[in-house]
Amino acid sequence: MPRPLPAFLAAIAFTLSSTPILAQVCEGQNVLEERPAEYLERLEAAVAKQPYNKGRFFEVSRNGAKSILFGTIHLPDPDVAIIPPRLEMEIRRSSKVFIEITQHEEQRMQKAFLLEPSLIRNDDGRRISELVSRAELDALTLALGTHGLTLPVFDELEPWFLNLIVAVPQCVTLRQAKGGKILDRLIEQSAQRAEIPVEGLEEYDEILGILSSGTYEEQVQYLMMGLPLLEQAGDALEVTKRLYMSGEITKIWEFSRMEAERVFKPEKVRPVFREAYDHLVTTRNQNWMDTLLPALEEGGAVVAVGALHLGGRSGLLPMLEAEGFTIAVVTE
């Protein structure tokens, strides 16, 4: 199974113009209010099966050593990019802050894209236009055209990279270009002001390895699968923000799956989500534990990572519980 995500799912997992249409994309509706009771019941049932399915702020302790785990959201949106006062206090008195990827590492990745175009360009002659129908190519051309990419240009780029481009509404990208910071960056800056060491849990090439895995044909398949869901991206972001602020973190993932199943058959959607979860959450959490366990055993750490990494069947919280840590919800 391929590892890159469809565009709709990438917008949920990673959340990386001034025209009315593009502006409207970021002014989505809370579509959960419109879904029938049967849909909401299935959603709640799916969430209930997952451990630690609510909350974004936790204290973990073992043998008297205490640390903080906080779930972030990767959106430069003022509605959600807010450090709770309690977290500010915990950062100031911590011994070290851990985040997924530091700003320095992010800058290294941007530099690599500029200096090593082979990272995102396909040099062995494979072309998306040769694998899709005329109608699919027209839809892809329209989607990428809003990002300034024409067919001769994007046809030479790797499908996984195009997936990232179309996954995030341009208004989000524009907000970042104007200096908007995601919550992770605000937390990093808060620690730096307090002169607290900040350590990244990943280097950029590890992330690229996950995104670029799978065959070329599989990447094209999942890129095209995401296109019909782009019209829902604004609504997905609105629901995601609301669920995040209310601490209903696991529901974000289950909602995105069920929305995809409204467009595609469940037997097509579910393997994609299982594979995505295994590689974006399970594998990364297991890798992070090698770094986090010694720090959490010592205590005094603040760990701020994407909220979807905390709870759920492969979340950091159940992993830590299995290691003998006690988990307590922190009131914001």
Side-chain angles (χ1 to χ4, degrees), residues 17 19 21-22 136-155 157 162 165-168 170 223 227 230:
S17 184
T19 66
I21 293 177
L22 291 176
E136 289 175 320
L137 188 60
D138 288 344
L140 183 60
T141 301
L142 179 62
L144 290 170
T146 62
H147 295 270
L149 295 177
T150 61
L151 174 57
V153 175
F154 74 69
D155 213 17
L157 299 178
L162 298 178
I165 292 176
V166 300
V168 183
Q170 279 196 344
L223 171 63
L227 291 184
L230 287 178

Side-chain angles (χ1 to χ4, degrees), residues 70-74 100 184 288 304-310:
F70 181 81
T72 67
I73 184 170
H74 309 322
E100 291 182 39
D184 306 61
W288 295 350
V305 295
L308 286 172
H309 287 277
L310 299 187

